[in-house]
Amino acid sequence: MRAKCDNAGRIAVTHEMPANGERAAGFELLRDGMTFDLIGMAPGPSPAPLQSRHRYGVPEDLIETRKAALILRPGLHLEGGAYSLPVVRVMMDLACALARELDDLCALAWRPASSLVGVEFFCNSITHWIGGGPFPALGLTGLATAPDGGLQSEGLAYFIGQELRVEPELAEDKMLAAQLAVRLINQLVYEGRMEAPQQIVAHNGMRLLMAPSINKRFIRVRRA
């Protein structure tokens, strides 16, 4: 792992955590002034792969053949800011750098969105984001069809405390609804929690109303 970090560049191994009883071995890694723990090395038990509801760039039968996982998480000094975009950006950049060096890695999972992302899809979207592109909504959040036909995000609440909901009237065409959701997620991640309604104009000129739900758990999007 030390050699892999050296190859990746801008990663320093600052502490080695030996296996202890039921805890697998791990490393403390430093990148851009922030430390992260990489857990799951031999010897010791490896964490089981996470279950996922959303998959991007992952063949359906790939993960079923894999039984082990590594966990990358913010270090103790970052726990209070783990939800902040600067920390997430560096952690995802680090994950991308490691993924390119770990030949046996088949996918990356993000628990808040219950998502599983193929290495190439993940690295492409993260690299684009770090370079100034849009937030990687397909991966760091997920999109699912609600029972009433609406489209809802999963994982946006990790960043702003609310999920996005595109109402059924706008979600008949699921591809167009997903494109709208991705654009709005990118906007909301940077603007933060929504407390008051606001009108927006979609890319096709349609006027839309975004408003928090009564319980403030969702941001509902419908025609104005």
Side-chain angles (χ1 to χ4, degrees), residues 59-134:
E60 284 297 319
D61 60 347
L62 179 61
I63 198 64
E64 279 70 16
T65 64
R66 305 303 176 104
K67 303 299 183 183
L70 298 173
I71 294 177
L72 181 65
R73 65 192 183 195
L76 289 176
H77 76 291
L78 292 175
E79 283 189 344
Y83 298 89
S84 69
L85 277 184
V87 173
V88 174
R89 283 172 65 94
V90 174
M91 185 167 68
M92 294 303 161
D93 193 26
L94 172 58
C96 182
L98 291 172
R100 290 193 172 110
E101 295 296 326
L102 299 175
D103 297 334
D104 292 335
L105 190 70
C106 63
L108 295 97
W110 177 237
R111 188 190 297 271
S114 187
S115 62
L116 190 69
V117 189
V119 173
E120 183 176 1
F121 189 106
F122 178 86
C123 289
N124 286 343
S125 61
I126 295 300
T127 300
H128 192 39
W129 181 37
I130 298 299

Side-chain angles (χ1 to χ4, degrees), residues 27-213:
F27 293 94
E28 181 185 78
L29 305 178
L30 174 69
R31 187 176 182 97
D32 295 350
M34 302 181 190
T35 58
F36 301 86
D37 295 337
L38 183 66
I39 306 296
M41 303 292 177
S46 172
L50 297 176
Q51 298 297 313
S52 60
R53 285 185 289 274
H54 311 287
R55 292 188 175 200
Y56 303 102
V58 180
E60 284 297 319
D61 60 347
L62 179 61
I63 198 64
E64 279 70 16
T65 64
R66 305 303 176 104
K67 303 299 183 183
L70 298 173
I71 294 177
L72 181 65
R73 65 192 183 195
L76 289 176
H77 76 291
L78 292 175
E79 283 189 344
Y83 298 89
S84 69
L85 277 184
V87 173
V88 174
R89 283 172 65 94
V90 174
M91 185 167 68
M92 294 303 161
D93 193 26
L94 172 58
C96 182
L98 291 172
R100 290 193 172 110
E101 295 296 326
L102 299 175
D103 297 334
D104 292 335
L105 190 70
C106 63
L108 295 97
W110 177 237
R111 188 190 297 271
S114 187
S115 62
L116 190 69
V117 189
V119 173
E120 183 176 1
F121 189 106
F122 178 86
C123 289
N124 286 343
S125 61
I126 295 300
T127 300
H128 192 39
W129 181 37
I130 298 299
F135 176 79
L138 299 181
L140 298 192
T141 63
L143 296 173
T145 301
D148 65 355
L151 192 68
Q152 293 183 185
S153 69
E154 182 174 2
L156 180 60
Y158 180 86
F159 299 99
I160 69 170
Q162 295 169 307
E163 296 292 350
L164 179 70
R165 173 178 164 81
V166 179
E167 295 297 331
E169 65 190 76
L170 298 174
E172 293 181 359
D173 186 320
K174 290 298 183 286
M175 181 173 293
L176 290 179
Q179 291 173 350
L180 172 63
V182 165
R183 285 192 291 271
L184 293 179
I185 288 171
N186 179 68
Q187 173 183 332
L188 290 165
V189 161
Y190 293 104
E191 291 183 354
R193 184 178 180 87
M194 178 174 286
E195 299 292 349
Q198 63 175 267
Q199 287 196 11
I200 61 172
V201 178
H203 70 286
N204 59 3
M206 182 185 299
R207 293 186 176 277
L208 304 175
L209 177 66
M210 297 174 61
S213 61

